[in-house]
Amino acid sequence: MDDKLQLEQGAEQIAAFIYNSQTDAYKNNRVVTVSYSRTAGNNWCFGALLGTTACDFNQTVTTESDYCAIDGAKRTLSAQSANSLDLLRSIDSGDGAFSYDPVRGMFVDSSDSLELALSSPGDSYRLKLQMNSVGRINLCSDGSDYKIPGYSTCAVQQVDSDPVEGEGEAL
C-alpha cells in the first residue's frame, strides 16, 4: 500500500474511533472516556469505556472497571490493529484522556483538547488530527512541505477562553 494512502486510512480510522466514542456517549446516555497513549518505538493505542475513569490498554480481565470496553465489546485501536506502526508521530496536545458529555457530546472538561501529528511510514506525508472542546475533528495537512491533496493546511489551533457565539472559525 502506498504511503499516502496508508496515512489517510490510518488518520480516518483514528477519527472514526473518536467519533464513534462520542456517539456511544449519546446512545448510552452516559459519559464515555477515551484514553490514548504513545510510547517509545511508535507504539500507540486508543481505548474507550463507559464512565469517567481512563481505561488500561493492558487490562485483560473483562470484569475490571478499567477494561477498555463499551457494552461488553472491547474498544481499542492500536498500532498493531491498524497495521500502521509508524502512523502517530506525536501527541501535540492532550493529557492522555478526555470524556464526552452524553447530552451535548462535548468534552466534560472544556479545557481539554487533542492534537495528533500523523505521518506516513517514510515521513513523506503528514496530517494533523485536531479536536476542539465541542468534539469537532479536523484532519488537515501539516504544512506545505508535506501537503496531501484534498486536505487544507492546518491553522494554528488557538484556545479561546471566552468565545463569542457566531465568531471565529470552527474546526
Side-chain angles (χ1 to χ4, degrees):
M1 178 183 308
D2 109 333
D3 280 1
K4 182 173 81 73
L5 184 59
Q6 186 174 359
L7 173 60
E8 290 174 315
Q9 288 181 347
E12 292 292 339
Q13 277 186 297
I14 292 171
F17 182 89
I18 294 168
Y19 175 75
N20 288 337
S21 298
Q22 185 180 35
T23 301
D24 284 329
Y26 286 128
K27 185 176 87 177
N28 290 289
N29 196 29
R30 290 189 51 203
V31 170
V32 168
T33 298
V34 176
S35 305
Y36 53 92
S37 170
R38 180 185 181 279
T39 60
N42 291 324
N43 290 320
W44 55 268
C45 192
F46 288 81
L49 57 68
L50 292 173
T52 57
T53 57
C55 66
D56 180 354
F57 308 114
N58 299 311
Q59 180 62 261
T60 58
V61 180
T62 60
T63 56
E64 290 294 323
S65 63
D66 61 350
Y67 181 72
C68 300
I70 295 179
D71 293 335
K74 186 171 183 175
R75 289 293 306 275
T76 60
L77 177 66
S78 67
Q80 291 75 26
S81 67
N83 199 22
S84 302
L85 290 174
D86 296 328
L87 177 66
L88 184 55
R89 224 172 12 102
S90 65
I91 297 171
D92 295 342
S93 74
D95 60 5
F98 58 86
S99 298
Y100 280 117
D101 175 282
V103 176
R104 296 172 293 174
M106 299 168 56
F107 288 154
V108 170
D109 180 350
S110 63
S111 67
D112 274 343
S113 67
L114 179 64
E115 183 171 286
L116 307 173
L118 309 162
S119 65
S120 61
D123 203 30
S124 301
Y125 303 99
R126 292 184 183 176
L127 288 174
K128 282 198 174 195
L129 183 147
Q130 299 173 325
M131 194 164 84
N132 63 17
S133 63
V134 296
R136 285 198 177 153
I137 297 172
N138 181 41
L139 285 174
C140 52
S141 228
D142 188 11
S144 59
D145 292 343
Y146 303 98
K147 185 143 180 65
I148 298 177
Y151 293 90
S152 62
T153 301
C154 299
V156 176
Q157 201 173 26
Q158 296 179 1
V159 177
D160 186 355
S161 60
D162 190 20
V164 177
E165 189 172 331
E167 288 187 5
E169 192 174 338
L171 292 179

